[in-house]
């Protein structure tokens, strides 16, 4: 009996892989051309006397209440010019990023055919780490100054933030922003709702960034991924014993969902844990649901989190 079950599992796995390969071939055939505008270059390489032309071309970057002198001074500021120089060293060749963008937008077009392909604009954003990449209906903004590498001399941030200032985070960050336009949160403020919402965001990366590693999708190191896998059962048991899943305690998102140096179980394991372990667990719940149910991606993204969890058949690996 066990032999037949094992054979059946292998056949199911092959069928699933074959289906995925077929989809990827179809996606690869989608015609896609993208327009990337290097606003970072345009801004810092435009003579001050021609600034008004830049302002007219990119009005969304220049608030009406900010005097032109502020921008001209920024163009000539030695510190900003050094930052610009560092960005150009890292991204003088943009072919890899461009290729990744084409693949991402092909996947988006396949799964969301009514979505328009936006224009991509790169910029230097004054280290606004909370808005590294922004996706709107017609525009994607990428702040290249926040993808220079975690060890860059300009970064005076905590390590848990700096570890995601890598080029490999550009596509995952774009999908995170894109997901906010596609996933409804709802009115339920339980920890489980936050977990499932974050899990849907990460599952969307599974679909749109199939070549991306799990570590890059969630913004973990390999060691942090391994820690979560090794402690999955322990974390889940703690959530159940402390009755956290359905709690609406406003402190829970900061303990388990939001970026942080570590998660806060208030136990000895805290200093060993990565931040956002609730996000990682939510990802496993959504993956389990999709492995055990036959629904479309769009249906998943709109689904009630409690119903999703109840039908996920999620069991943590021991």
């Amino acid at each position: 009996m066990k032999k037949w079950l094992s054979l059946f599992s292998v056949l199911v796995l092959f069928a699933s892989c074959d289906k995925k390969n077929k989809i990827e071939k179809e996606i690869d055939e989608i015609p896609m051309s993208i327009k990337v505008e290097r606003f970072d270059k345009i801004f810092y390489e435009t003579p001050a006397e021609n600034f008004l032309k830049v302002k007219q071309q990119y009005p969304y970057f220049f608030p009406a209440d900010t005097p032109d002198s502020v921008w001209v001074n920024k163009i000539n500021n030695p510190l900003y010019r050094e930052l610009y120089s560092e960005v150009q060293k890292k991204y003088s060749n943009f072919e890899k990023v461009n290729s990744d963008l084409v693949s991402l937008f092909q996947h988006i077009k396949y799964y969301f055919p009514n979505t328009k392909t936006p224009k991509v604009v790169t910029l230097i954003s004054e280290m606004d780490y909370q808005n590294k990449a922004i996706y709107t209906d017609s525009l994607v903004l990428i702040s290249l100054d926040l993808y220079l590498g975690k060890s860059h001399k300009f970064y005076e941030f905590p390590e848990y933030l700096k570890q995601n200032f890598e080029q490999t985070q550009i596509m995952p960050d774009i999908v995170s922003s894109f997901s906010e336009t596609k996933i409804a949160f709802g009115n339920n403020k339980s920890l489980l709702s936050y977990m499932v919402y974050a899990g849907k965001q990460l599952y969307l990366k599974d679909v749109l960034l199939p070549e991306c590693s799990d570590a890059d999708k969630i913004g973990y190191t390999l060691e942090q991924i391994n820690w979560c896998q090794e402690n999955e059962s322990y974390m889940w048991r703690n959530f159940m014993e402390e009755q956290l899943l359905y709690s609406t305690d406003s402190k829970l998102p900061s303990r388990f969902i939001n970026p942080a140096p570590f998660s806060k179980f208030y136990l000895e394991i805290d200093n060993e844990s990565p931040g956002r372990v609730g996000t990682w667990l939510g990802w496993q719940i959504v993956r389990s649901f999709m492995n055990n149910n036959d629904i479309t991606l769009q249906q998943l993204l709109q689904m009630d989190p409690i119903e999703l969890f109840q039908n996920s058949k999620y069991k943590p690996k021991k």
Side-chain angles (χ1 to χ4, degrees):
M1 183 66 175
K2 288 183 178 178
K3 180 179 179 181
W4 287 111
L5 285 174
S6 177
L7 178 60
F8 176 75
S9 298
V10 170
L11 290 173
V12 169
L13 180 62
F14 271 112
S16 176
C17 289
D18 187 59
K19 181 180 178 181
K20 288 180 180 178
N21 289 336
K22 183 180 178 181
I23 290 174
E24 286 303 313
K25 287 179 181 178
E26 292 177 7
I27 291 172
D28 202 39
E29 292 173 358
I30 295 174
M32 180 61 59
S33 62
I34 61 170
K35 184 178 182 182
V36 177
E37 296 185 5
R38 294 294 301 270
F39 175 75
D40 52 311
K41 283 188 174 184
I42 294 170
F43 182 79
Y44 284 99
E45 294 183 7
T46 296
E49 59 268 22
N50 294 332
F51 167 72
L52 287 179
K53 291 181 180 179
V54 177
K55 186 177 179 180
Q56 290 168 357
Q57 187 178 357
Y58 298 92
Y60 40 84
F61 286 140
F62 302 102
D65 58 350
T66 303
D68 290 350
S69 59
V70 171
W71 305 111
V72 173
N73 288 338
K74 184 175 179 180
I75 291 173
N76 296 318
N77 185 297
L79 187 60
Y80 280 115
R81 295 208 66 83
E82 184 182 359
L83 177 57
Y84 167 67
S85 177
E86 293 297 301
V87 169
Q88 299 320 304
K89 287 178 187 176
K90 176 74 174 178
Y91 293 104
S92 59
N93 186 330
F94 211 65
E95 289 183 9
K96 176 62 169 68
V97 180
N98 198 86
S99 176
D100 290 343
L101 286 167
V102 168
S103 178
L104 171 57
F105 291 144
Q106 284 177 317
H107 282 79
I108 290 175
K109 181 61 70 174
Y110 181 86
Y111 289 102
F112 303 92
N114 294 326
T115 299
K116 296 183 295 184
T117 300
K119 178 172 70 174
V120 179
V121 179
T122 64
L123 67 149
I124 293 174
S125 69
E126 302 183 27
M127 300 292 177
D128 182 6
Y129 71 89
Q130 293 181 312
N131 294 289
K132 293 160 67 186
I134 299 174
Y135 191 111
T136 69
D137 287 341
S138 59
L139 196 64
V140 167
L141 304 178
I142 304 174
S143 299
L144 293 181
D145 53 317
L146 287 162
Y147 299 102
L148 296 176
K150 63 183 179 182
S151 300
H152 196 276
K153 62 182 181 179
F154 275 13
Y155 294 149
E156 297 181 357
F157 295 95
E159 289 297 325
Y160 74 94
L161 293 176
K162 288 197 295 185
Q163 73 182 44
N164 288 314
F165 291 1
E166 299 283 350
Q167 182 176 331
T168 54
Q169 282 299 299
I170 294 177
M171 300 306 134
D173 285 345
I174 292 173
V175 176
S176 290
S177 183
F178 173 76
S179 70
E180 293 174 3
T181 70
K182 299 298 180 184
I183 306 174
F185 187 87
N187 297 320
N188 189 305
K189 302 299 182 184
S190 66
L191 176 61
L192 179 61
S193 292
Y194 283 100
M195 291 168 62
V196 170
Y197 178 82
K200 288 178 180 180
Q201 287 187 317
L202 287 163
Y203 187 81
L204 194 56
K205 294 179 186 181
D206 286 339
V207 173
L208 299 181
L209 301 171
E211 300 301 318
C212 190
S213 71
D214 279 5
D216 283 334
K217 288 171 189 171
I218 192 172
Y220 275 178
T221 63
L222 185 58
E223 291 75 19
Q224 289 172 326
I225 284 283
N226 290 338
W227 190 94
C228 287
Q229 292 172 342
E230 292 167 3
N231 291 277
E232 181 176 358
S233 180
Y234 181 86
M235 290 190 292
W236 187 251
R237 186 167 69 249
N238 178 269
F239 277 28
M240 299 299 287
E241 289 175 353
E242 298 296 323
Q243 300 181 342
L244 300 181
L245 287 185
Y246 296 100
S247 172
T248 57
D249 183 345
S250 61
K251 295 179 182 178
L252 290 175
S254 64
R255 290 174 59 188
F256 299 113
I257 303 295
N258 301 337
F262 53 85
S263 296
K264 299 178 180 67
F265 293 92
Y266 303 139
L267 297 170
E268 290 183 4
I269 65 167
D270 282 7
N271 289 333
E272 302 172 9
S273 70
R276 300 180 295 127
V277 296
T279 293
W280 187 87
L281 285 170
W283 192 9
Q284 310 320 305
I285 291 170
V286 174
R287 281 176 164 176
S288 179
F289 175 85
M290 292 303 283
N291 286 335
N292 290 294
N293 294 273
D294 184 18
I295 68 168
T296 67
L297 178 63
Q298 285 76 9
Q299 288 172 325
L300 166 74
L301 299 183
Q302 299 304 314
M303 192 169 184
D304 176 76
I306 308 302
E307 180 185 357
L308 185 152
F309 170 65
Q310 292 172 344
N311 289 280
S312 68
K313 300 181 183 178
Y314 169 69
K315 291 184 178 178
K317 296 180 180 66
K318 296 183 179 179

